[in-house]
Amino acid sequence: MRLVLVGPPGAGKGTQAQYIASNLSIPKISTGDIFRANVSGGTDLGRLAKTYMDRGDLVPDEVTIAMVRDRLSEDDAQDGFLLDGFPRNVAQAEILRDMLKDWGQALDLVLELVVDDDEVVRRLAGRRTCSQCGRIWHVEFDDKKDDKCDACGGPLFQRDDDKEQTVRHRLEVYQEQTAPLVSYYADEGILVGVDATGPVEEVTQRAMEAIRPFMG
Ligand code: ADP
Ligand code: ADP
């Protein structure tokens, strides 16, 4: 299964990606996570990406695409993958299509996680991430009173780009650059919208129901 998740920042892509990828036994490939790992690791890629991420802008396509190409070439991605956060504009989508075509592959399905703006702002304002295992939490919805991960005990942090000013800009970037992917993939006949409101488990269930008809 070759799957892409699209949706605005805060829609729940990362949260759902961990469950969907594990249900389907495919690797979850989150470009945001790979960039953040490079930032923490102090690599050249991390230094470059950080200037864009801090502003809430997209990292340039050449850099992002090269990184995704490398990751998709790894052994564990040969029989399927779930992309979270890539592609993020039509140019990336076109290059992904050509890259997969060269390898005799194609996307099976693009799931759009649908939530309204107010919910997105609420979700991003309370997002906390575990610096040890990467799990995503929410201060209010997960009733997090301490700053510790319930899964591994690691310390939680708030992403720099989840501050209010940057969030507003990221939502504009989504509308301008990423939202056009919805009609791009609808035209290709592989887009399915999923209502991403309500409890996490219910959203996962809806996503799995949407995926089932596309499974080999
Ligand atoms: P969110 O989960 O809130 O949508 P991500 O973790 O996916 O955010 O991305 C964080 C940041 O990483 C983005 O704002 C952008 O700067 C960079 N980024 C992630 N994926 C891409 C991509 N496909 N193209 C360009 N930049 C990206
Ligand atoms: P994205 O990757 O699309 O930016 P995340 O998966 O990081 O989104 O989720 C953003 C925030 O919303 C996190 O704090 C997460 O715990 C919370 N969240 C995700 N799904 C739900 C849901 N169904 N109900 C309530 N909160 C959610």
Side-chain angles (χ1 to χ4, degrees), residues 45-74:
L45 172 62
R47 265 186 293 277
L48 184 137
K50 188 174 182 343
T51 56
Y52 296 93
M53 294 168 83
D54 284 350
R55 289 197 300 262
D57 283 326
L58 296 186
V59 178
D61 285 349
E62 318 83 78
V63 175
T64 307
I65 289 161
M67 184 178 88
V68 170
R69 187 191 298 274
D70 284 350
R71 181 62 188 90
L72 289 179
S73 304
E74 287 177 32

Side-chain angles (χ1 to χ4, degrees), residues 96-110:
L96 175 64
R97 185 194 53 203
D98 294 347
M99 190 189 322
L100 293 176
K101 203 166 163 204
D102 284 346
W103 296 339
Q105 303 175 0
L107 291 178
D108 296 300
L109 177 63
V110 176

Side-chain angles (χ1 to χ4, degrees), residues 34-52:
I34 306 178
F35 282 133
R36 279 185 292 278
N38 276 278
V39 171
S40 323
T43 67
D44 288 345
L45 172 62
R47 265 186 293 277
L48 184 137
K50 188 174 182 343
T51 56
Y52 296 93

Side-chain angles (χ1 to χ4, degrees), residues 145-157:
K145 290 194 190 63
D146 52 7
D147 271 341
K148 290 250 178 330
C149 176
D150 289 347
C152 78
L156 305 185
F157 70 97

Side-chain angles (χ1 to χ4, degrees), residues 7-17 36 84 88 113 119-120 122-129 136-139 141-142 159 162 170 196-201 203:
K13 299 181 299 297
T15 301
Q16 293 303 325
R36 279 185 292 278
D84 157 28
R88 213 92 155 202
L113 297 187
E119 180 64 12
V120 152
R122 240 191 326 267
R123 287 186 183 182
L124 289 176
R127 170 158 64 186
R128 298 292 182 275
T129 310
I136 305 157
W137 301 97
H138 193 282
V139 280
F141 307 135
D142 292 315
R159 280 170 44 175
D162 280 347
R170 284 163 63 213
T197 57
V200 169
E201 312 80 69
V203 178

